[in-house]
């Protein structure tokens, strides 16, 4: 081929490439608003929505390639508020880093998911990288005011800001928590039918020793018929085992906390060693899955649901319980799931359930600093509406008359079912549903009263909550620590993820006390650097 | 048996230019070469050198609203924490040890595979095998690690085989002595086939006369491999080795991150996993990540130039 | 110059060594193949069968739920399409830029050659990090533009070095005679050098293609269009969703009744299959190219 011809071909390809990509490239421009002067559509609502806005929103629940054009739920919200949403997915496994990068580079969409690490929130707000929300937000948007109040941090954020401004909307977990203080719903599932067979009855709270007895009986007597030695006692990974076996002795094991007036590191606190001993004994006796330390999130659940394991530590809110019951039933059609599965929580040597109070929010939404105030207002209207019961019903149940209807007091589902008789999930009909479902409220609240979740599952969750609270030692939240930023403390990641570190200790040969002490010794310098920093800053407040 | 060297391009000819002598004329003579270089140079400037200026945030406390230039200088403060942290030094040690072990146990494999493939007659067997050898390269470590963990788990296939052979079931995954060897073996499994391609390409350009001469000398297949094939690809091997040394501070994050478990953390923690842990559990700190990145780059740079010098000292061509 | 069949001389004898080689390579091939076969099996059976069959060689009941889950919606289609676009735009650019630099750098006859080479290698070692890169891309107006993805990985310096190295080994005498005949450098490159460099061209082309196929990192940062997400990114999302330990995913929607390993393996199979189908054809040409390149004057 003549050289000139080759060059021209290559040049043509380059030109073609530029043209193609200019046409096919993203439709969005970098940050900033871009309202389209709109015709008023079908708002029976309020005249103040006469300008049509195009909102770019990035969130982690948005799936690639989803067909939002025919999504009726999205259309509903779009029409109600005279907006157009452009939904941007965020990569799941590096969401925090990606969003931090976008914020720091000044390239946020109009609104964006944010993981609400307070130090980042503070830094970003100080540097003007995220938008300050209106001072009268709580007045004009009563539902958002409720969200802020229930989350427990609305006032905290404002009071810690030098100008009293707020820069993010947290996603609240419970409007009406089943317990006075919000606590984790993580609980223990077990095979009640097997327990009956081996003659053990479990109360709503169990000690680690009682759990050991149960596991032992399951393994030795094999009530599930798995074959000798094939039944797994407890299906749980590092996180769950820490929660199950160590937290009853020291609920604050996963982080620094204030103990007897001073800050210490969780794993160094008393009680940790007792928990570790229990854990190691369980492991060495064979009550745990032999590869518990490499399990990923769903492995334990798979084992329990398939009947290979008799005890499972897992999320215990209504949604998840229902999922477990449902999957169990699919694999054991001849059993009654609600009879076969029971739930309890852990208690410490003093008979109480020990747990740290949780914050009542999870992640949040931040806004582009250059967003127009009017556009921001529109978004806040939308978010305010999402927090209402009417909107929550639509988001969680679907549209009245189409997906459900009222019959007297009860709500009857009209959702179609698939071949196996399972209700087709809302998100399959309305791809944007997970987005709405996690925008302002996380859905834990609704799952307590979701009519699509069988009452048995909901009751199981609520009963366990009540049992935890009744005999519970709930360690109150320490906002000072939660919102602390210091050069050493910010690098506490070097100490490792506590769940995994403790698992590492358990797996080592030899005496656990020696191992534990040596491990703490090796980290002493860093631990002391951090506790000194904390004590210096926080004790004198 | 003397092998024609690879030094052909460097031999003195009328085309070489002599430094200093009428530079303008040389530039004009080589104008098409410059033209060819231009797009690439622009690419490097825009996408590598412009951003490279940002490396100064390693010595600053980066504040996005002040920008890279406006952020305050803090000197070496970004390093003060890690240089006091025993976990950092452990990670550094592991990084070096693992990288060196990779050079010993991983680097030769693609070469060996290429040499072996060269000895096989063309045909279906060869082509199928070569295709199969490249498969694992296309998987991410997220997935391969999943497969491997499955394979080596307590109730997994490896243990099943062991049991069949009369051994007791073992917890392979928590065995500290097995982890690093397993890293190297599985890395070979995943990538050696793919990396052998470059050596295959180098081998196929060896002239036949050399083999024929060797044949006449009565060389066995094995001897031909040693005395003909290897010397001819020597240069390629050395270049790739030097480049591998230039990546010593990297040690394979994706693989280790996905295969690590608490039982083996102490011996498998490398710089990148150490950094990941800190940034994962802490606030965004770009200055810090850049600082450590710079640290790694400097060490890589020192090592790569040193290795290049050593190679030249042995009479090889080296990288530069 | 005439082509000589390597085979007759080289492969005349079958000695112990060659038997050893055949067997070793064969075994290695099996070791690679078995986990893949296993992965395909796992993707096709129910969780129950998987947990209860230690040595699956053939599935008892084929259960394709995992595939149904993955193929729902357009997720994977978007991935394939995006990755294909990246490939078709990116690889030609890669080759163009790389050849453009590799050839001149392999010729030691113009001022600045050494300096430019140092310039290139230095960039491989030092980097300013993500923020500066992001700012550069943004100042070019290329955020959320697929062109950014195409351009950022325009040259892989490692491959550039390999190609330059190969070009260096082509005898200068060829150039000299061409120059005498009045050819300029472009003619030499395209008419003389490239045909001789087929092995390295095929190799680097393959490498770039696969790199583009696997690309996900820069798209993750720069692309914001949910219809422009490369395959590997989607795959990582899927695997992450079913195996992550992080609590936030409970809010994202509870898991479907397919076990996580099954989904993982189905995802692998779906990504690999096109490659497994295409590669043998590519490789046939590729190997032939390599063989043809063994012509030396």
């Amino acid at each position: 081929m003549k050289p000139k011809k080759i060059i021209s071909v290559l040049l043509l390809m380059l030109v073609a490439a530029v043209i193609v990509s200019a046409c096919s490239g993203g439709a969005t421009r970098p940050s900033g608003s871009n309202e389209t002067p709109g015709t008023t559509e079908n708002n029976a609502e309020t005249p103040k929505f006469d300008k049509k806005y195009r909102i770019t929103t990035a969130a982690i629940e948005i799936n690639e390639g989803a067909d939002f054009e025919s999504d009726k739920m999205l259309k509903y919200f779009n029409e109600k508020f005279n907006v157009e949403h452009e939904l941007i997915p965020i990569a799941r496994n590096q969401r925090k880093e990606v969003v931090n990068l976008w914020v720091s580079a000044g390239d946020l969409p109009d609104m964006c998911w944010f993981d609400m690490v307070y130090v980042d929130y503070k830094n970003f707000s100080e540097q003007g990288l995220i938008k300050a929300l209106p001072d009268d937000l709580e007045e004009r948007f009563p539902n958002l005011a409720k969200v802020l109040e229930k989350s427990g941090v609305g006032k905290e954020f404002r009071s810690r800001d030098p100008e009293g401004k707020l820069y993010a909307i947290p996603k609240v977990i419970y409007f009406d928590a089943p317990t006075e203080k919000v606590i984790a719903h993580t609980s223990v599932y077990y095979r009640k039918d097997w327990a009956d067979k081996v003659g053990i009855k479990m109360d709503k709270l169990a000690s680690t020793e009682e759990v050991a007895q149960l596991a032992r009986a399951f393994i030795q007597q094999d009530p599930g018929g798995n074959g000798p030695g094939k039944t797994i006692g407890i299906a749980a990974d590092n996180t769950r085992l820490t929660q199950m076996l160590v937290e009853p002795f020291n609920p604050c094991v996963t982080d620094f906390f204030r103990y007897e007036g001073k800050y210490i590191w969780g794993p160094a606190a008393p009680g940790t060693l007792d928990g570790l001993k229990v854990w190691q004994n369980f492991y060495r006796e064979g009550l745990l899955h032999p590869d518990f330390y490499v399990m990923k999130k769903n492995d334990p659940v798979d084992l329990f649901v398939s009947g290979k394991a008799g005890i499972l530590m897992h999320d215990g809110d209504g949604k998840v319980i229902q999922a477990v019951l449902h999957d169990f039933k699919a694999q054991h059609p001849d059993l009654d799931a609600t009879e076969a599965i029971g739930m309890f929580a852990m208690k410490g040597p003093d008979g109480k359930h020990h747990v740290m109070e949780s914050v009542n929010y999870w992640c949040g939404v931040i806004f582009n600093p250059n967003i127009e105030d009017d556009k921001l207002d529109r978004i806040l209207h939308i978010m305010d509406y999402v927090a209402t019961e009417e909107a929550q019903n639509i988001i969680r149940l679907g549209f009245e008359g189409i997906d459900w209807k009222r019959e007297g007091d009860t709500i009857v589902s009209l959702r179609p079912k698939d071949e196996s008789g399972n209700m087709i999930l809302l998100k399959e009909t309305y791809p944007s549903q997970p987005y709405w479902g996690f925008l302002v409220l996380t859905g834990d609240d609704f799952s307590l009263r979701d009519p699509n979740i069988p009452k048995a599952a909901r009751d199981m969750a609520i009963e366990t909550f009540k049992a935890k609270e009744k005999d519970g030692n709930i360690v109150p939240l320490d906002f000072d620590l939660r919102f602390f930023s210091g050069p050493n403390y910010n690098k506490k990641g070097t100490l490792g993820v506590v769940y995994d570190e403790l698992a590492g200790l358990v797996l080592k040969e030899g005496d656990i006390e020696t191992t534990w002490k040596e491990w703490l010794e090796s980290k002493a310098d860093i631990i002391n650097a951090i506790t000194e920093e904390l004590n210096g800053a926080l004790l004198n407040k | 048996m003397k092998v024609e060297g690879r030094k052909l391009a460097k031999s003195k000819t009328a085309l070489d230019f002599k430094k200093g002598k009428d530079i303008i004329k040389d530039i004009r003579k080589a104008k098409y070469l410059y033209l060819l270089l231009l797009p690439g140079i622009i690419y490097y400037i825009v996408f590598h050198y412009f951003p490279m200026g940002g490396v100064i945030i390693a010595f600053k406390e980066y504040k996005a609203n002040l920008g890279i230039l406006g952020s305050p200088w803090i000197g070496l403060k970004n390093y003060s924490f890690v240089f006091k942290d025993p976990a950092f030094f452990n990670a550094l040690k592991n990084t070096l040890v693992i990288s060196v072990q990779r050079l010993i146990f991983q680097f030769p494999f693609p070469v060996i595979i290429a040499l072996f493939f060269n000895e096989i007659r063309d045909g279906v067997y060869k082509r199928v095998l070569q295709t199969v050898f490249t498969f694992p390269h296309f998987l991410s470590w997220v997935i391969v690690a999943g497969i491997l963990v499955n394979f080596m788990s307590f109730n997994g296939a490896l243990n099943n085989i062991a049991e069949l052979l009369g051994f007791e079931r073992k917890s392979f995954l928590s065995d500290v002595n097995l982890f690093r060897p397993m890293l190297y073996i599985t890395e070979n499994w995943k990538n050696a086939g793919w990396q052998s391609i470059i050596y295959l390409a180098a081998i196929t350009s060896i002239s036949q006369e050399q083999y024929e001469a060797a044949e006449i000398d009565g060389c066995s297949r094995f001897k031909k491999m040693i005395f003909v094939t290897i010397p001819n690809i020597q240069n390629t091997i050395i270049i790739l080795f030097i480049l591998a040394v230039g990546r010593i501070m990297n040690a394979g994050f994706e693989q280790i991150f996905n295969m690590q478990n608490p039982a083996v953390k102490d011996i498998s923690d490398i710089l990148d996993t150490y950094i990941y842990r800190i940034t994962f559990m802490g606030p965004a700190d770009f200055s810090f990540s850049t600082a450590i990145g710079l640290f790694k780059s400097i060490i890589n740079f020192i090592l790569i130039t040193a290795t290049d010098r050593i190679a030249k000292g042995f009479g090889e061509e080296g990288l530069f | 110059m005439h082509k000589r069949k390597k085979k007759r001389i080289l492969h005349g004898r079958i000695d112990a060594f060659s038997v050893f080689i055949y067997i070793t390579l064969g075994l290695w091939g099996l070791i690679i193949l078995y986990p893949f076969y296993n992965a395909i099996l796992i993707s096709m059976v129910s969780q129950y069968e998987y947990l209860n069959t230690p040595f699956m060689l053939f599935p008892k009941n084929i259960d394709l739920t995992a595939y149904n889950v993955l193929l729902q919606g357009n997720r994977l289609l978007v991935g394939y399409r995006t990755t294909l676009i990246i490939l078709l735009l990116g690889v030609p650019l890669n080759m163009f830029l790389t050849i453009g630099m590799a050839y001149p750098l392999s010729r030691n006859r113009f001022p600045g050659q050494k300096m430019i080479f140092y310039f290139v290698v230095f960039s491989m070692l030092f980097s300013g990090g993500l923020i500066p890169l992001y700012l550069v891309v943004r100042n070019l107006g290329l955020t959320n533009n697929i062109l950014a993805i195409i351009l950022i990985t325009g040259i892989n310096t490692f491959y550039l070095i390999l190609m330059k190295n190969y070009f260096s080994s082509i005898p200068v005498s060829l150039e000299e005679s061409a120059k005498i005949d009045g050819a300029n450098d472009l003619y030499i490159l395209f008419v003389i050098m490239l045909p001789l460099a087929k092995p390295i061209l095929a190799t680097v082309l393959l490498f770039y293609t696969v790199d583009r196929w696997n690309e996900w990192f820069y798209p993750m940062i720069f692309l914001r269009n949910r219809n422009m997400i490369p395959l590997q990114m989607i795959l990582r999302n899927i695997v992450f969703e079913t195996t992550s330990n992080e609590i936030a995913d409970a809010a994202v929607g509870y898991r479907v009744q397919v076990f996580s390993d099954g989904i993982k393996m189905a995802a692998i199979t779906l990504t690999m299959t096109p490659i497994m189908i295409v590669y043998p054809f590519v490789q046939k040409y590729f190997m032939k190219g390599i063989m043809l390149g063994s012509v030396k004057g």
Side-chain angles (χ1 to χ4, degrees), chain A residues 93 96-97 100-101 103-105 117 119-120 123-124 126-129 232 238 283 289-291 293-294 296 487-488 490-497 500-501 503-504 507-508 522-523 525-526, chain B residues 62-66 78 81-82 84-88 142 149 152-156 171-175 258-263 265-266 274 276-286 288:
Chain A
N93 58 339
K96 189 176 128 181
E97 291 83 12
N100 283 345
L101 184 60
V103 174
S104 300
V117 169
V119 179
D120 285 328
N123 288 337
F124 292 158
E126 273 171 9
Q127 295 172 31
L129 296 169
I232 294 174
N238 301 335
Y283 174 61
H289 189 282
D291 295 315
Y293 54 99
V294 290
K296 299 282 186 231
N488 291 334
N490 288 348
K491 301 220 171 30
K492 67 179 177 175
T494 177
L495 294 171
V497 177
D500 293 331
E501 295 290 315
L507 291 166
K508 280 199 161 61
S522 72
K523 300 199 183 289
D525 289 337
I526 300 292
Chain B
Y62 178 66
K63 288 200 185 294
N65 58 330
L66 300 174
N78 278 321
F81 181 87
V82 292
K84 281 187 312 206
D85 186 358
F88 173 77
V142 177
V149 164
M152 298 200 308
S153 64
F154 200 76
N155 295 316
S171 182
F172 288 113
L173 292 166
S174 65
D175 189 333
N258 284 295
M259 302 218 56
Q260 235 181 3
N261 66 63
K265 179 165 158 253
D266 288 334
Y274 170 83
Y276 180 85
R277 258 204 325 278
I278 291 189
T279 52
F280 178 71
M281 298 219 313
D285 192 348
F286 293 104
F288 178 69

Side-chain angles (χ1 to χ4, degrees), chain A residues 372-389:
Chain A
E372 256 188 29
D373 287 336
D374 287 337
K375 197 184 205 184
L376 176 61
D377 255 25
R378 186 69 60 85
I379 296 178
L380 291 175
H381 273 292
I382 299 177
M383 291 178 76
D384 187 72
Y385 174 67
V386 167
T388 61
E389 175 153 354

Side-chain angles (χ1 to χ4, degrees), chain B residues 265-277:
Chain B
K265 179 165 158 253
D266 288 334
I267 53 133
S268 64
D269 201 29
I270 57 173
L271 267 187
D272 286 338
T273 49
Y274 170 83
I275 298 303
Y276 180 85
R277 258 204 325 278

Side-chain angles (χ1 to χ4, degrees), chain C residues 9-58:
Chain C
I9 307 294
L10 203 50
H11 302 289
R13 24 165 127 225
I14 308 279
D15 51 10
F17 189 56
S18 41
V19 170
F20 170 71
I21 292 182
Y22 272 84
I23 296 186
T24 314
L25 287 178
L27 276 179
W28 191 261
L30 275 178
I31 295 179
I32 293 181
L33 216 44
Y34 179 67
F36 272 87
Y37 180 66
N38 204 38
I40 298 179
L41 283 182
I42 294 179
S43 72
M44 292 202 303
V45 302
S46 71
Q47 174 186 14
Y48 185 70
E49 188 176 338
Y50 166 63
L51 287 174
N52 282 317
T53 323
F55 261 134
M56 245 192 313
L57 278 177
F58 292 109

Side-chain angles (χ1 to χ4, degrees), chain A residues 88-260:
Chain A
I88 299 171
I90 302 178
R92 307 281 186 278
N93 58 339
Q94 278 176 265
R95 49 201 185 218
K96 189 176 128 181
E97 291 83 12
V98 169
V99 170
N100 283 345
L101 184 60
W102 289 351
V103 174
S104 300
D107 206 5
L108 272 182
D110 292 325
M111 51 192 286
C112 186
W113 170 90
F114 182 57
D115 74 334
M116 294 298 263
V117 169
Y118 183 73
V119 179
D120 285 328
Y121 171 86
K122 178 158 156 284
N123 288 337
F124 292 158
S125 59
E126 273 171 9
Q127 295 172 31
L129 296 169
I130 51 181
K131 177 87 176 174
L133 299 176
D135 293 327
D136 56 357
L137 184 146
E138 285 89 337
E139 284 160 37
R140 288 196 289 136
F141 303 103
N143 295 299
L144 286 183
K146 190 171 170 202
V147 165
L148 286 169
E149 189 216 316
K150 291 283 179 181
S151 71
V153 288
K155 290 214 178 63
E156 289 280 346
F157 283 167
R158 282 202 188 274
S159 65
R160 283 165 197 270
D161 180 72
E163 290 167 31
K165 292 197 181 295
L166 181 70
Y167 291 88
I169 308 265
K171 298 176 196 277
V172 75
I173 300 180
Y174 291 112
F175 267 172
D176 260 306
T179 50
E180 198 190 302
K181 293 200 179 167
V182 177
I183 53 178
H185 47 57
T186 323
S187 306
V188 186
Y189 297 71
Y190 73 107
R191 291 292 298 267
K192 210 163 27 156
D193 53 346
W194 290 7
D196 291 338
K197 279 203 197 135
V198 300
I200 298 184
K201 182 172 169 344
M202 302 297 290
D203 294 327
K204 289 307 282 178
L205 292 182
S207 69
T208 52
E209 186 45 50
E210 287 165 348
V211 171
Q213 278 174 6
L214 188 65
R216 237 172 253 136
F218 284 169
I219 295 174
Q220 282 159 8
Q221 300 182 38
D222 189 20
N226 281 314
K230 294 241 182 222
T231 304
I232 294 174
I234 303 173
D237 60 13
N238 301 335
T239 310
R240 300 304 189 196
L241 284 171
T242 308
Q243 291 167 339
M244 186 193 228
L245 303 177
V246 183
E247 283 186 1
F249 300 94
N250 172 11
C252 306
V253 68
T254 54
D255 200 353
F256 290 86
F257 72 104
R258 201 157 178 164
Y259 179 75
E260 287 176 0

